[in-house]
Amino acid sequence: MTENLLAEEVRRHGIDLNVINPWQIAADSHALFEKALAAYGDRVTPRRLSVLVGNEFGRVRQKYTADDPRAIGFVSMQFHYTGQTLLESLSSAERLLLEPYFKVMDDHLYMPLRAAYEAAGNHSQTSPALRGVQHLLPISTRIAQEVCKQICRQSPSYETYSGSLSAPQVRTSSIRDVEMFQVYLCLCVLEDSIESVQRELFPLCAMLYPRLKVSWRLVQEMLQAIGWEMHDRLSPNDVAIFLPYLGALTEMFSNEVFQSA
């Protein structure tokens, strides 16, 4: 499915096919899913799984972003669809138990969590930037859920490649994307730079979103909603730390920039 969806975009954006080796991706996918399923079998919690295999997931992500950061779009989508296929073969009760483990995989592949943790290590415990990130990350999922609710209310008839914004599969992907933007925002704050967004996030979105029928207007509304949620949930000092970078992302993801990308 991933090949059919992205093959044209890979060619159009001139991505070197050598960095997208389907056999290597399949091998990495198999190894990581085995670890997730073994953790589930050993009754390791998803939170603990994230700690135990975070570095390994980070290494896989780094391997595929080293030559061309856009390659992670192909890889992470392949992992995501593999996970969805596995879940479809299970009962509803089994799906509910396994979904959190597969979400750990999705999060570590889509998001620069390892880079954020490494950047956090360069800050002192009293660093305002570190404190702001420590306050945002624990509530990032709740923020993402609320942002997606707002976008659904604003655009109830909007249709993406996979269905309406309220469809369960689209909602899950949308929440993950809003979480991803927040993690990149945290990385910008910790590195005092938007270079990670310029290098990874923007090219990835420029490749994927048109194919997935996600409009730039929707991205703008998402960023605006993230800003309001942060304003409501964080202290003024924390908000002040994030605002310059959120403003830079909003400008970078404007209609004018995307149309020329």
Side-chain angles (χ1 to χ4, degrees):
M1 182 174 183
T2 306
E3 290 88 344
N4 294 334
L5 181 62
L6 295 183
E8 182 180 338
E9 294 303 309
V10 168
R11 287 192 297 271
R12 190 166 72 86
H13 287 267
I15 298 176
D16 185 354
L17 294 178
N18 290 324
V19 304
I20 304 176
N21 183 330
W23 296 108
Q24 186 60 56
I25 293 171
D28 288 335
S29 176
H30 180 77
L32 293 180
F33 272 107
E34 273 196 336
K35 289 186 179 296
L37 292 171
Y40 168 73
D42 293 339
R43 299 190 177 184
V44 174
T45 66
R47 184 184 294 273
R48 183 61 181 160
L49 173 65
S50 181
V51 174
L52 291 175
V53 301
N55 281 336
E56 187 163 352
F57 279 90
R59 283 194 295 272
V60 171
R61 190 179 194 279
Q62 190 173 43
K63 178 171 75 173
Y64 288 106
T65 57
D67 294 321
D68 189 332
R70 294 171 298 180
I72 196 61
F74 188 96
V75 176
S76 54
M77 192 171 288
Q78 183 68 45
F79 273 78
H80 177 72
Y81 282 126
T82 299
Q84 293 303 306
T85 301
L86 289 172
L87 289 173
E88 286 171 5
S89 65
L90 303 176
S91 68
S92 298
E94 290 170 327
R95 273 200 301 273
L96 285 174
L97 291 172
L98 267 176
E99 278 176 343
Y101 293 86
F102 289 174
K103 185 181 186 304
V104 168
M105 297 178 67
D106 266 1
D107 287 353
H108 278 280
L109 288 170
Y110 272 92
M111 305 176 199
L113 289 170
R114 185 187 185 194
Y117 297 152
E118 290 176 349
N122 296 323
H123 288 258
S124 69
Q125 287 297 316
T126 58
S127 161
L130 180 61
R131 286 181 175 176
V133 169
Q134 288 174 331
H135 295 154
L136 176 61
L137 280 181
I139 61 173
S140 60
T141 298
R142 292 203 299 274
I143 288 177
Q145 291 168 342
E146 187 57 39
V147 166
C148 289
K149 285 181 185 177
Q150 291 180 36
I151 301 300
C152 281
R153 286 196 297 266
Q154 292 168 205
S155 306
S157 60
Y158 192 95
E159 290 285 328
T160 70
Y161 175 88
S162 301
S164 69
L165 293 176
S166 59
Q169 183 178 346
V170 176
R171 177 173 169 74
T172 298
S173 297
S174 299
I175 290 172
R176 183 199 59 226
D177 279 11
V178 180
E179 289 178 300
M180 176 178 69
F181 269 78
Q182 290 179 83
V183 173
Y184 270 101
L185 189 60
C186 289
L187 183 56
C188 289
V189 166
L190 291 170
E191 293 183 336
D192 191 19
S193 168
I194 61 168
E195 196 265 338
S196 62
V197 173
Q198 294 170 322
R199 184 185 69 250
E200 295 181 12
L201 183 60
F202 180 83
L204 182 63
C205 293
M207 180 182 74
L208 292 182
Y209 281 173
R211 189 72 181 93
L212 298 175
K213 297 183 179 177
V214 176
S215 73
W216 311 138
R217 175 183 62 81
L218 221 58
V219 178
Q220 285 283 301
E221 290 176 357
M222 175 194 69
L223 289 168
Q224 184 179 50
I226 288 175
W228 284 115
E229 285 297 314
M230 290 172 59
H231 182 272
D232 290 343
R233 296 170 186 265
L234 296 176
S235 71
N237 287 339
D238 287 340
V239 172
I241 289 169
F242 287 103
L243 273 184
Y245 302 98
L246 183 61
L249 262 67
T250 302
E251 184 176 341
M252 190 184 302
F253 285 86
S254 67
N255 286 331
E256 294 76 17
V257 173
F258 264 122
Q259 286 167 3
S260 62

